[in-house]
């Protein structure tokens, strides 16, 4: 653990988060290196999404800390954290959200622009090609099918060559075949970018024996009053 | 720049909503533009042409008509008055200056005005070509008129009876243009000045020598300047009671006109203000609508690392684009209206108004930009503070 600290992409330490002091989530520590995939499994309400929010820096923990690529998220200002996330963490949201008034290509451009990075056209073009949606690049996102939209989301998440890719319930609306294909897409994309992958899901279909698995359920505890 | 492009794309995504706000802004500003034009040109003409005239004497009738005829040359005369009675006023202690005017003919709709050399100082006339009229049937015109009519010094023009173009037959008494004067910016620029004798000669049977019949000679009216303000109390009464003439006080008559016009102007002003307020409300509404539809997009940008200030400026750009587009259309509208008003004034009254792009139009654009910023400030702050990830997960 000490030796591979340079290759560790995600590291958490005694994370705790509480909503309105009613219940709190305690999280077992996570250590995730490059090219590794972690499945976060758990029932609804078990704190899966909260964990994702903590790892992405959308939420700050009551106690404990999160290091992404060696940086402590809590040490940053809000704006710094936004920028850091844009550059180092790619997120595939559960719902496909795009800038609806511009094209797929411009959505990728905006991902780079929002993070304050130059837009790498070749890289973006290759991503669309790998994901099989290069023909859609001048379309408005809402004209695409759900599956195509999800691929655009994945492409956007990878535009800035993040160290960590996170996907929130990416297969919830898909049948078995497509679910496995999407997971394979995500894994391939991560391995070609040497990124770590975290998939938050309750879908056991997509978990294979060699994957790392993280359960959230047993660690939900009532907060001490 | 990218913010502005995105804002533009967002506006194009909801054209109907954007268009309503744009048009409200355009009409509000357009009306203000026309009002400014009106007050700048019409009111300015009204006040500048007064030129210190304290009283007008003319034939009995409507005093307002007398003022409109004698000072602004936009109405018919009330009749004629005997020169003898006018001349008797010259000796009055309250009369500082007396300018006799004799109307009745026109050339191509421009009035031919018989008068004497007192007009030079009254209108500030400076000759640029030729020399002043001396003998009967000589006339002078302004540079503007020379250009509009294509007349040069030495040319002869034939007046027709009446005060508007296309009237009755011509008099076959040609006037010779002996001089051209620099534009004065007053009503003098649209008048053809000649001597009183010319007008008498044209309108009397000729072949006689009229110079001995001074007693019968008539003019249309006379402009009078007072030696002091006390004259206001004595001189009009003196004229109205002791002569066949009537005296009108232009400042009082013009005040009356402006009081009437003023009500109309006030109504238009309020309509314009209401339109602009509606437009501001429209922009605020459009932006909030746009925001509620796009809050998750703005949150997405935050999630992608975009600075809160960037979010703020996207929303601000949307508001600013709406209002500036409205401003540009508004200026175009007001220019079009001004063009038609100016053509009307030129065609009917021979007045010439400027409607070139100017400071007023830039001011209108600035006003539109300012209203746009004010209107979008609140939505922009809201977007800036509300664009958090919670909205993304609820999207």
């Amino acid at each position: 653990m000490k030796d591979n600290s340079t290759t560790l992409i995600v590291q958490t330490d005694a994370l705790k988060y509480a909503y309105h002091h009613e219940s709190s989530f305690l999280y077992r520590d996570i250590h995730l290196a490059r090219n590794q995939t972690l499945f976060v499994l758990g029932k609804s309400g078990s704190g899966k999404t909260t964990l994702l929010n903590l790892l992405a820096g959308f939420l700050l923990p009551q106690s404990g800390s999160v290091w992404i690529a060696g940086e402590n998220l809590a040490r940053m200002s809000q704006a710094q954290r936004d920028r850091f996330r844009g550059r180092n963490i790619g997120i595939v949201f559960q719902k496909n959200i795009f800038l609806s008034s511009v094209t797929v290509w411009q959505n990728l451009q905006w991902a780079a622009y929002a993070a304050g990075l130059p837009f790498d056209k070749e890289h973006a073009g290759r991503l669309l090609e790998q994901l099989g949606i290069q023909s859609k690049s001048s379309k408005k996102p809402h004209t695409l099918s759900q599956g195509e939209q999800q691929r655009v989301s994945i492409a956007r998440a990878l535009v800035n060559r993040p160290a960590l890719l996170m996907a929130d319930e990416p297969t919830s609306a898909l049948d078995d075949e497509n679910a496995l294909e999407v997971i394979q897409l995500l894994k391939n994309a991560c391995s070609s970018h040497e990124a770590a992958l975290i998939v938050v899901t309750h879908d056991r279909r997509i978990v294979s024996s060699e994957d790392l698995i993280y359960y959230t359920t047993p660690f939900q505890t009532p907060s001490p009053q | 720049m990218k913010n502005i492009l995105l804002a533009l794309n967002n506006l194009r995504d909801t054209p109907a909503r954007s268009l309503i706000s744009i048009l409200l802004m355009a009409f509000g500003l357009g009306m203000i533009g026309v009002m400014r034009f009106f007050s700048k040109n019409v009111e300015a003409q009204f006040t500048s042409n007064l030129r210190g005239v304290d009283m007008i004497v003319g034939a009995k009738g409507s005093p307002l008509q007398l003022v409109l005829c004698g000072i602004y040359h936009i109405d018919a005369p009330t009749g004629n008055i005997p020169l003898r009675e006018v001349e008797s006023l010259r000796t009055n202690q309250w009369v500082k200056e007396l300018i006799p005017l004799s109307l009745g003919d026109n050339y191509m709709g421009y009035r031919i005005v018989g008068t004497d050399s007192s007009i030079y100082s009254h209108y500030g006339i400076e000759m640029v070509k030729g020399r002043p009229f001396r003998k009967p049937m000589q006339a002078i015109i302004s540079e503007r008129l020379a250009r509009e009519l294509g007349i040069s010094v030495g040319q002869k023009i034939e007046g027709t009876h009446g005060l508007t173009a296309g009237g009755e037959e011509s008099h076959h008494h040609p006037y010779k243009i002996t001089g051209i004067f620099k534009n004065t910016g007053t009503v003098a620029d649209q008048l053809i000045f000649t001597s009183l004798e010319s007008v008498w000669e044209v309108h009397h049977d000729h072949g006689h020598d009229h110079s001995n019949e001074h007693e019968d000679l008539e003019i249309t009216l006379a402009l009078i300047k007072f030696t002091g303000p006390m004259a206001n109390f004595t001189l009009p009464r003196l004229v109205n009671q002791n002569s066949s003439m009537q005296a009108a006080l232009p400042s009082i008559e013009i005040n009356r006109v402006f009081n009437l016009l003023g009500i109309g102007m006030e109504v238009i002003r309020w309509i314009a203000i209401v339109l602009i307020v509606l437009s501001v409300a429209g922009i605020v509404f459009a932006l909030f609508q746009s925001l509620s539809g796009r809050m998750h997009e703005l949150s997405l940008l935050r999630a992608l690392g975009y600075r809160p200030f960037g979010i703020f400026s996207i929303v601000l750009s949307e508001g600013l684009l709406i209002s500036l587009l409205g401003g540009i259309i508004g200026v175009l509208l007001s220019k079009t209206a001004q063009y038609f008003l100016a053509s009307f004034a030129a065609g009917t009254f021979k007045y010439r108004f400027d409607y070139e792009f100017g400071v007023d139009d830039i001011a209108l654009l600035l006003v539109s930009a300012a209203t746009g910023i004010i209107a979008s400030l609140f939505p922009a702050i809201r977007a800036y503070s509300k664009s958090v990830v919670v909205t993304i997960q609820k999207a």
Side-chain angles (χ1 to χ4, degrees):
Chain A
M1 182 180 140
K2 288 156 211 153
D3 305 329
N4 59 8
S5 62
T6 47
T7 54
L8 266 190
I9 301 302
V10 183
Q11 191 182 352
T12 68
D13 176 29
L15 275 185
K16 182 186 171 192
Y17 189 86
Y19 287 100
H20 310 300
H21 301 282
E22 283 159 15
S23 64
S24 62
F25 300 116
L26 285 169
Y27 294 101
R28 215 156 19 92
D29 292 356
I30 296 171
H31 298 97
L32 196 64
R34 287 193 183 281
N35 293 318
Q36 282 187 317
T37 299
L38 177 69
F39 283 87
V40 176
L41 292 171
K43 287 180 190 161
S44 304
S46 64
K48 295 196 303 284
T49 301
T50 304
L51 177 61
L52 182 136
N53 285 340
L54 289 169
L55 293 178
F58 290 134
L59 296 174
L60 287 179
Q62 260 82 41
S63 64
S65 43
V66 178
W67 283 272
I68 303 290
E71 304 274 347
N72 187 342
L73 293 185
R75 291 273 167 80
M76 302 173 188
S77 71
Q78 172 83 53
Q80 279 172 331
R81 213 159 33 241
D82 284 344
R83 174 91 1 143
F84 180 83
R85 182 194 315 119
R87 293 183 174 193
N88 297 286
I89 306 174
I91 303 169
V92 179
F93 293 100
Q94 187 172 1
K95 297 257 172 69
N96 293 311
I97 306 162
F98 303 100
L99 301 177
S100 57
S101 67
V102 299
T103 64
V104 165
W105 186 253
Q106 285 166 314
N107 266 277
L108 299 189
Q109 261 182 320
W110 265 95
Y113 181 55
L117 294 171
F119 180 56
D120 184 343
K121 285 182 194 161
E122 285 177 29
H123 175 58
R126 261 198 312 279
L127 278 171
L128 290 181
E129 208 180 308
Q130 277 170 21
L131 293 161
I133 45 170
Q134 66 269 52
S135 62
K136 311 289 178 192
S137 78
S138 57
K139 295 251 162 63
K140 295 270 177 78
H142 58 85
T143 64
L144 307 184
S145 71
Q146 284 295 318
E148 288 165 341
Q149 289 189 11
Q150 196 170 35
R151 283 155 195 254
V152 175
S153 289
I154 295 171
R156 183 181 58 203
L158 292 168
V159 153
N160 296 330
R161 304 172 195 274
L164 170 64
L165 183 67
M166 290 201 281
D168 188 10
E169 302 280 9
T171 60
S172 55
L174 302 176
D175 57 38
D176 295 358
E177 198 181 324
N178 281 308
L180 287 173
E181 194 190 324
V182 165
I183 292 305
Q184 207 50 51
L185 271 177
L186 286 169
K187 282 182 174 171
N188 291 346
C190 283
S191 63
S192 66
H193 288 89
E194 300 227 305
L197 173 64
I198 295 179
V199 179
V200 176
T201 188
H202 64 267
D203 186 357
R204 288 171 180 277
R205 296 176 298 177
I206 57 176
V207 184
S208 63
S209 53
E210 69 266 30
D211 293 323
L212 298 170
I213 298 176
Y214 181 97
Y215 290 98
T216 47
T217 337
F219 295 92
Q220 183 186 354
T221 60
S223 86
Q225 290 299 314
Chain B
M1 196 56 211
K2 290 216 175 178
N3 291 341
I4 294 170
L5 280 178
L6 185 63
L8 197 61
N9 277 314
N10 288 348
L11 291 185
R12 279 205 315 221
D13 231 30
T14 51
R17 200 160 54 202
S18 315
L19 206 62
I20 289 171
S21 314
I22 289 172
L23 287 183
L24 282 172
M25 179 62 83
F27 282 117
L29 287 178
M31 284 177 91
I32 290 182
V34 171
M35 259 172 37
R36 286 282 303 160
F37 168 81
F38 190 83
S39 61
K40 219 165 98 173
N41 285 285
V42 178
E43 291 185 13
Q45 283 287 342
F46 264 95
T47 39
S48 83
N49 278 322
L50 265 183
R51 300 193 78 81
V53 174
D54 296 307
M55 187 176 87
I56 304 186
V57 292
K60 286 201 193 299
S62 152
L64 178 59
Q65 186 185 346
L66 192 59
V67 171
L68 292 177
C69 172
I71 294 183
Y72 305 107
H73 296 271
I74 52 177
D75 205 346
T78 47
N80 286 334
I81 47 173
L83 181 64
R84 177 177 37 84
E85 280 193 87
V86 176
E87 288 300 329
S88 70
L89 282 173
R90 276 193 199 275
T91 53
N92 190 293
Q93 56 158 330
W94 296 113
V95 175
K96 185 172 134 203
E97 198 184 352
L98 187 149
I99 304 159
L101 297 181
S102 220
L103 306 169
D105 290 345
N106 78 88
Y107 176 71
M108 309 285 282
Y110 296 96
R111 293 182 175 195
I112 298 171
V113 180
T115 182
D116 62 20
S117 57
S118 55
I119 56 159
Y120 291 99
S121 62
H122 178 62
Y123 291 114
I125 290 174
E126 288 172 42
M127 303 303 295
V128 286
K129 256 188 234 158
R131 44 191 181 70
F133 57 87
R134 292 219 175 74
K135 294 181 195 153
M137 303 320 291
Q138 292 183 339
I140 59 168
I141 54 175
S142 70
E143 287 179 300
R144 173 192 146 197
L145 213 52
R147 204 186 57 241
E148 280 174 18
L149 293 173
I151 296 175
S152 49
V153 173
Q155 226 171 306
K156 289 191 172 178
I157 58 169
E158 247 173 48
T160 44
H161 194 66
L163 295 172
T164 48
E168 293 146 51
E169 82 287 358
S170 68
H171 281 299
H172 306 297
H173 268 72
Y175 292 91
K176 187 180 178 190
I177 304 297
T178 58
I180 290 169
F181 57 86
K182 206 159 110 185
N183 290 339
T184 59
T186 68
V187 71
D189 294 351
Q190 66 209 43
L191 300 175
I192 300 166
F193 290 112
T194 183
S195 61
L196 288 170
E197 288 78 9
S198 311
V199 178
W200 291 326
E201 194 172 318
V202 170
H203 288 94
H204 284 72
D205 296 326
H206 14 267
H208 311 279
D209 186 351
H210 300 296
S211 53
N212 295 331
E213 303 167 15
H214 199 243
E215 297 292 304
D216 301 335
L217 290 172
E218 288 184 325
I219 62 168
T220 308
L221 50 87
L223 310 177
I224 290 168
K225 293 180 187 175
F226 293 157
T227 47
M230 283 303 286
N232 278 310
F233 302 103
T234 56
L235 208 49
R237 192 143 35 115
L238 180 84
V239 172
N240 287 334
Q241 288 176 354
N242 299 330
S243 74
S244 65
M245 307 182 291
Q246 79 159 325
L249 300 173
S251 50
I252 288 175
E253 299 302 327
I254 292 315
N255 251 333
R256 201 178 312 184
V257 172
F258 276 150
N259 283 341
L260 288 171
L261 278 180
I263 296 167
M265 296 280 282
E266 198 65 11
V267 170
I268 295 174
R269 197 193 313 274
W270 278 105
I271 292 174
I273 289 171
V274 166
L275 281 177
I276 288 178
V277 168
L278 278 178
S279 160
V280 169
I283 291 174
V284 173
F285 179 74
L287 289 182
F288 271 125
Q289 281 269 303
S290 168
L291 273 191
S292 62
R294 285 178 215 284
M295 196 51 109
H296 58 282
E297 289 185 27
L298 299 175
S299 300
L300 169 75
L301 286 174
R302 288 287 300 278
L304 291 172
Y306 210 40
R307 298 244 152 95
F309 182 75
I311 308 291
F312 181 82
S313 56
I314 288 172
V315 177
L316 201 67
S317 305
E318 274 188 48
L320 211 52
L321 277 172
I322 291 178
S323 63
L324 268 179
L325 278 175
I328 291 167
I329 296 173
V331 167
L332 289 178
L333 278 178
S334 97
K335 287 288 133 192
T336 314
Q338 288 174 17
Y339 167 76
F340 283 115
L341 281 175
S343 311
F344 175 75
T348 315
F349 305 120
K350 302 298 172 201
Y351 275 93
R352 207 181 58 172
F353 295 147
D354 286 336
Y355 51 89
E356 276 111 40
F357 187 83
V359 186
D360 270 15
D361 303 304
I362 293 166
L364 282 186
L365 290 178
L366 289 179
V367 166
S368 74
T371 36
I373 290 173
I374 292 167
S376 42
L377 214 53
F378 186 51
I381 290 169
R382 200 178 138 90
Y384 161 100
S385 55
K386 285 268 178 168
S387 61
V388 285
V389 76
V390 181
T391 18
I392 252 191
Q393 283 155 351
K394 285 178 184 163

